[in-house]
Amino acid sequence: MGRKISVDSATMMNKGLETIEARWLFAMPPERIEVVIHPQSVIHSMVAYADQSVLAQLGRPDMRTPIAHALAWPERIDSGVAPLDFLQLAHLSFAAPELKRFPCLRLALEVLREGCAASVTLNAANEVAVDAFLNGRLRYTDIACVVEDCLQQAPSSAHENLDDILAADAHARVLAGQAIQRAALRSPSPVVPLSESVTLAEDMGARL
């Protein structure tokens, strides 16, 4: 998925951003959006009907499936993914997210209830913070701190056009750089090789 997405997966910021996307793409009120953790990653979507029946789309967690679907739509082609063996599925479990354990997800859910400005700040600050982590300039546990710092400082004015959004993005990146410098003064972080940084992010995401 790439180095940046690997870190976002560990912090669960990727799920937070997807939740924000769902609000704007489907014009969905924030109070109707809920995050549910499904560790097995077998169920990829569910649709609930008025009669309370639910249709679910299941499959192995393999990106070749959606890629093949996108390439062949509206037809279906062989993706090369092994069939789902229901006899090998011990169980399918679901849980509410632990927001204390994943502060980036908490921040994204808070932004979900705010306007476009906060979403722009969240995304830009996270990109700068993750880049600093991957380059050994920021501790993994400080990524969320940098994002939260920027959200507290950035103005919440409405964005009327693309130029406003780009300006807000640039301003958030400046704020993030300043927050990273402050974090480095509080707790100097040793430089970590890039490959080790990604492994560290995945390990921290599993253990936090």
Side-chain angles (χ1 to χ4, degrees):
M1 293 188 297
R3 298 187 298 269
K4 194 264 185 181
I5 300 301
S6 293
V7 178
D8 283 349
S9 296
T11 64
M12 289 197 71
M13 179 61 88
N14 63 329
K15 295 307 175 188
L17 292 172
E18 289 171 2
T19 303
I20 295 172
E21 291 169 5
R23 174 191 173 179
W24 298 107
L25 288 176
F26 301 105
M28 186 69 64
E31 58 272 15
R32 293 194 60 190
I33 300 176
E34 181 181 0
V35 175
V36 178
I37 306 300
H38 172 47
Q40 294 78 32
S41 298
V42 170
I43 297 179
H44 303 291
S45 65
M46 292 186 287
V47 178
Y49 290 86
D51 60 3
Q52 302 309 312
S53 62
V54 178
L55 296 184
Q57 186 263 321
L58 286 70
R60 292 185 180 275
D62 192 315
M63 286 302 296
R64 288 179 295 176
T65 300
I67 291 173
H69 177 64
L71 291 175
W73 189 88
E75 305 299 327
R76 293 279 185 169
I77 60 174
D78 184 359
S79 66
V81 178
L84 187 62
D85 188 345
F86 288 94
L87 297 180
Q88 296 297 317
L89 293 177
H91 62 276
L92 299 176
S93 58
F94 306 88
E98 300 178 42
L99 299 184
K100 184 176 180 180
R101 182 180 179 186
F102 297 103
C104 283
L105 178 59
R106 171 181 60 80
L107 293 171
L109 293 179
E110 292 174 358
V111 164
L112 182 69
R113 292 163 176 79
E114 301 182 30
C116 176
S119 299
V120 172
T121 299
L122 176 90
N123 180 69
N126 179 67
E127 288 188 354
V128 174
V130 171
D131 181 72
F133 165 70
L134 289 173
N135 287 283
R137 297 187 291 108
L138 184 71
R139 296 164 64 89
Y140 175 85
T141 50
D142 280 335
I143 293 175
C145 296
V146 168
V147 176
E148 186 164 23
D149 192 333
C150 293
L151 287 170
Q152 292 173 350
Q153 293 191 62
S156 57
S157 57
H159 298 330
E160 302 295 337
N161 50 52
L162 180 59
D163 288 338
D164 291 341
I165 293 175
L166 294 175
D169 179 273
H171 181 56
R173 292 174 189 275
V174 171
L175 292 177
Q178 296 170 349
I180 290 168
Q181 292 178 350
R182 291 192 294 272
L185 292 175
R186 289 195 305 269
S187 52
S189 176
V191 175
V192 180
L194 185 58
S195 59
E196 293 182 23
S197 294
V198 176
T199 301
L200 175 62
E202 295 170 340
D203 181 59
M204 290 295 289
R207 293 191 291 109
L208 276 180

